[in-house]
């Protein structure tokens, strides 16, 4: 019985530790109970940095980041194009971002604005991107922010 209880405790403790990684880009984040969602239209992505194809392709990834106390980039969410219905049938890309629920002090707090990066899988380049149209709003738990598209930040 003691062995069974230890196994159950271990199993239950692992339910709260869900991590997603995109190894090619070196991006990982843990799932938080505090989340917000940024939506972009894939047809309105204009990426014109050196070596860019100008479009977002399958295998590319869009990530949200913030700086920690040491100035390091902390991934607070990403999505891979071509997986998990990204973009959806209407061309909408949904980027989930994680907030600090007490377990993740380096994650987003209310009104903090994440910065976005694109990982171009065909070139291995990582570039900063921003939204076209309005300014990216500050993070809010359970927030849903609809944006026109993405452009490179250079």
């Amino acid at each position: 019985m003691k062995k069974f209880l230890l196994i159950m405790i271990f199993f239950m403790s692992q339910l709260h530790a869900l991590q997603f990684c995109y190894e090619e880009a070196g991006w990982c984040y843990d799932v938080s109970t505090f989340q917000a969602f940024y939506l972009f239209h894939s047809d309105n992505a204009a990426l014109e940095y050196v070596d860019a194809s100008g479009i977002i392709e399958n295998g590319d990834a869009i990530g949200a980041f913030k700086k920690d106390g040491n100035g390091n980039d902390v991934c607070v969410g990403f999505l891979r194009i071509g997986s998990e219905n990204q973009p959806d049938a209407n061309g909408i890309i949904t980027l989930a971002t994680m907030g600090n629920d007490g377990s993740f002090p380096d994650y987003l707090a209310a009104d903090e604005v994440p910065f976005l990066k694109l990982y171009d899988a065909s070139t291995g380049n990582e570039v900063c991107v921003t939204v076209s149209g309005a300014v990216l709003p500050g993070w809010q738990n359970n927030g849903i922010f609809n944006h026109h598209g993405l452009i490179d930040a250079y």
Side-chain angles (χ1 to χ4, degrees), residues 24-88:
E24 290 87 348
W27 298 350
C28 288
Y29 71 92
D30 293 301
V31 174
S32 169
T33 59
F34 286 10
Q35 300 180 9
F37 303 89
Y38 293 87
L39 286 68
F40 311 96
H41 201 286
S42 61
D43 291 342
N44 297 323
L47 307 169
E48 300 178 16
Y49 66 93
V50 176
D51 295 331
S53 64
I55 58 172
I56 296 175
E57 302 171 315
N58 284 347
D60 292 349
I62 300 169
F65 296 83
K66 76 167 270 191
K67 296 282 186 189
D68 68 9
N70 297 320
N72 299 313
D73 294 350
V74 175
C75 182
V76 295
F78 72 84
L79 63 88
R80 287 182 55 193
I81 301 299
S83 67
E84 297 143 14
N85 299 319
Q86 297 289 345
D88 70 8

Side-chain angles (χ1 to χ4, degrees), residues 50-134:
V50 176
D51 295 331
S53 64
I55 58 172
I56 296 175
E57 302 171 315
N58 284 347
D60 292 349
I62 300 169
F65 296 83
K66 76 167 270 191
K67 296 282 186 189
D68 68 9
N70 297 320
N72 299 313
D73 294 350
V74 175
C75 182
V76 295
F78 72 84
L79 63 88
R80 287 182 55 193
I81 301 299
S83 67
E84 297 143 14
N85 299 319
Q86 297 289 345
D88 70 8
N90 295 315
I92 304 299
I93 298 168
T94 304
L95 176 60
T97 57
M98 304 298 125
N100 179 13
D101 62 2
S103 300
F104 305 102
D106 289 332
Y107 281 12
L108 295 164
D111 298 322
E112 284 188 299
V113 179
F115 61 94
L116 306 177
K117 293 183 185 181
L118 169 78
Y119 176 78
D120 187 334
S122 63
T123 65
N125 289 336
E126 188 176 287
V127 295
C128 287
V129 293
T130 189
V131 295
S132 60

